[in-house]
Amino acid sequence: MFYRMMMGSRSLQLLILFVCSLTITTIECSECSEVKKENPNLYNITRTIVHSAVSKGAVCLDGSPPAYYFDPGFGDGVDNWIVQISGGAWCVNVTDCKGRTKTQLGSSKYMDKLEFQGIHSKNKSANPDFYNWNKVILAYCDGGSFVGDVEYVDPATNLHFRGKRIFYAILEELLKKGLKNAKNALLAGTSAGGYPAVLYCDSFRDSLPTAARVKCLNDCGYFPHFKNPELERNWHDRFSGVAELQGAAQSLPKSCTSKMKPELCLYSQNIQQDIKTPLFIFMSAYDKIEIKYTFGDHMTPLVDAGKCSASQNQSLQEMRSEFLNALPKGDNPKLRGVFVDSVHHHNSLLKRWIPEIAINVNGQLHTEAFADWYFDRKYTYLIDETNELPLENNARLIWAVDNATARVIYNATL
């Protein structure tokens, strides 16, 4: 009898331990799930390959199908959409373009997961106006700011210049995915993606006839056409190469190419006047890429350290002056919003799209200025007139992972 009681007690203990272990495991898994939910500022999205685009000839430089990254909206944001066009400079000759075919900038074969952050953050406190929207980033793999539409493929290089087809093929898929029902929509582009956000702005609007609000944004991609040949030299060589490879004479609007050379039509300033949809421009008067491509790599550390010579500062100020003259006029900020700062940086939509390190001009944060403009709360045309020389990009966003919770901890220093 005693033995049977001991065995029964032992069995009961084992059962209790088993149940407890299951409970602990369930709690731990639940906590893991919560940890993932509590990191809304920075998260990875897997690519979506558009296989149907191949039959339309809409392919990357190497002939592989194009791709995009999609994160669905939620709550009252399910009918609102951000479609962002990626940047990544340009390839300006065959050798350059061939090199891209071995990277994600020329082939979807090399595209990995993409970090969504900034205006794509799901953190309501950091991104109150767009946190729950449908978010799309078009992968950039054509090397020519999505303008190419060249049918012929040289068998010696097997390079395809089909960026224009890529844009419309992905747009067609997104419309089927729910974009056609959008109540609010934004077409944005960063750096080399800024120009196509202007170029296709009206087409994007026309594809959404029922949308209550459709606007466009050029983020750090409004590179001016300089009148000074010394400032323009590198840009002329760059855009001439792009225009020739991508067949810009045939693919760009005749309203521009009938008036000037195709390479000049690759500057946003030369096509923006024909765009009827409201457009906003983010740009630093001392944009980091603008300075790099205008003066060379050696200028970057000099600008950051504030060690430019008097003649170099004079050239920088001339660059700034020509850029400001290339902007749309400020008489109708509802149609053409502008936010121009003086910080030596590039890209305003991603890492700097949090209150701690948002760009501040005259007490106005660039994140708030754009949201107010987009939602018709206040129309902004703001240029930093105080700083005539570049400001150091001394905002540093540092993140670390808490080993106990796996949460990303942000520490912004100014």
Side-chain angles (χ1 to χ4, degrees):
M1 176 68 71
F2 177 78
Y3 177 79
R4 287 198 299 270
M5 290 177 63
M6 288 294 293
M7 288 298 293
S9 176
R10 178 64 173 170
S11 298
L12 180 61
Q13 289 175 340
L14 290 173
L15 178 61
I16 292 172
L17 285 172
F18 177 71
V19 171
C20 287
S21 68
L22 285 177
T23 304
I24 291 171
T25 301
T26 302
I27 292 172
E28 288 177 349
C29 288
S30 174
E31 288 176 347
C32 288
S33 177
E34 290 302 312
V35 166
K36 290 181 181 178
K37 291 179 182 178
E38 290 172 357
N39 178 18
N41 289 303
L42 187 68
Y43 56 100
N44 290 325
I45 296 297
T46 302
R47 66 180 182 177
T48 298
I49 300 291
V50 189
H51 294 285
S52 61
V54 176
S55 62
K56 303 178 178 71
V59 292
C60 299
L61 283 170
D62 70 334
S64 61
Y68 64 92
Y69 297 84
F70 172 64
D71 187 44
F74 56 93
D76 60 7
V78 293
D79 292 324
N80 301 328
W81 289 72
I82 298 173
V83 178
Q84 182 180 351
I85 305 173
S86 300
W90 310 266
C91 58
V92 300
N93 54 55
V94 168
T95 301
D96 193 6
C97 294
K98 284 290 288 183
R100 284 192 172 222
T101 62
K102 302 302 181 182
T103 75
Q104 76 278 8
L105 290 173
S107 173
S108 58
K109 299 174 184 177
Y110 300 95
M111 293 176 188
D112 204 347
K113 292 181 178 180
L114 187 67
E115 284 186 345
F116 271 37
Q117 58 181 307
I119 198 170
H120 305 292
S121 167
K122 296 179 182 179
N123 186 339
K124 186 176 182 179
S125 62
N127 186 30
D129 290 292
F130 305 102
Y131 75 100
N132 61 354
W133 285 32
N134 293 281
K135 298 152 185 137
V136 179
I137 296 182
L138 273 62
Y140 179 36
C141 66
D142 68 284
S145 287
F146 291 85
V147 304
D149 190 13
V150 179
E151 182 66 31
Y152 175 72
V153 177
D154 186 344
T157 65
N158 196 40
L159 288 172
H160 300 71
F161 301 107
R162 308 279 181 77
K164 184 175 184 177
R165 299 189 195 186
I166 289 175
F167 176 81
Y168 283 110
I170 295 179
L171 177 60
E172 181 181 339
E173 176 154 320
L174 294 177
L175 290 169
K176 295 176 182 177
K177 215 175 188 78
L179 176 60
K180 65 181 178 181
N181 301 316
K183 294 179 179 177
N184 294 288
L186 170 67
L187 178 65
T190 296
S191 193
Y195 173 81
V198 179
L199 178 66
Y200 299 123
C201 185
D202 283 348
S203 295
F204 182 74
R205 179 207 60 195
D206 292 343
S207 69
L208 306 171
T210 61
R213 183 183 287 111
V214 180
K215 299 187 180 184
C216 302
L217 169 63
N218 183 330
D219 171 37
C220 305
Y222 199 92
F223 304 112
H225 175 233
F226 296 114
K227 295 179 180 178
N228 183 332
E230 287 301 310
L231 297 177
E232 179 63 19
R233 183 177 64 253
N234 292 333
W235 288 99
H236 175 269
D237 293 344
R238 189 173 301 277
F239 280 172
S240 293
V242 172
E244 182 177 356
L245 288 171
Q246 303 288 341
Q250 286 72 43
S251 66
L252 294 181
K254 297 302 180 186
S255 57
C256 184
T257 56
S258 63
K259 301 174 185 176
M260 59 188 73
K261 294 179 179 179
E263 57 265 30
L264 297 182
C265 295
L266 291 172
Y267 294 91
S268 294
Q269 73 186 78
N270 290 332
I271 62 169
Q272 64 82 20
Q273 69 274 7
D274 297 320
I275 304 301
K276 298 179 176 60
T277 307
L279 170 69
F280 197 93
I281 298 166
F282 275 139
M283 193 80 176
S284 170
Y286 296 108
D287 180 83
K288 192 170 185 177
I289 297 300
E290 181 74 52
I291 290 176
K292 174 183 176 180
Y293 285 168
T294 303
F295 300 105
D297 292 334
H298 69 282
M299 281 289 281
T300 298
L302 294 176
V303 173
D304 281 338
K307 293 183 177 181
C308 292
S309 66
S311 62
Q312 287 171 331
N313 281 333
Q314 185 177 356
S315 295
L316 286 169
Q317 288 176 319
E318 183 178 357
M319 183 195 78
R320 175 184 183 272
S321 177
E322 289 215 37
F323 162 69
L324 295 180
N325 288 333
L327 289 170
K329 303 303 179 185
D331 54 353
N332 188 0
K334 180 179 181 179
L335 187 63
R336 293 291 183 268
V338 163
F339 189 102
V340 174
D341 63 274
S342 300
V343 179
H344 185 224
H345 76 107
H346 187 67
N347 191 320
S348 299
L349 288 185
L350 300 177
K351 290 184 179 180
R352 297 202 74 129
W353 197 270
I354 61 172
E356 291 83 356
I357 56 171
I359 299 292
N360 188 322
V361 174
N362 299 339
Q364 178 76 65
L365 299 182
H366 80 286
T367 53
E368 296 173 353
F370 175 71
D372 286 345
W373 177 86
Y374 181 85
F375 288 105
D376 300 298
R377 299 188 292 245
K378 178 183 177 182
Y379 301 116
T380 298
Y381 190 100
L382 180 60
I383 297 172
D384 179 9
E385 302 285 4
T386 303
N387 299 286
E388 295 186 353
L389 287 173
L391 299 175
E392 181 188 358
N393 184 18
N394 59 356
R396 297 289 183 265
L397 180 61
I398 304 168
W399 61 79
V401 177
D402 186 322
N403 292 328
T405 64
R407 298 178 187 175
V408 173
I409 304 170
Y410 290 87
N411 177 23
T413 59
L414 298 175

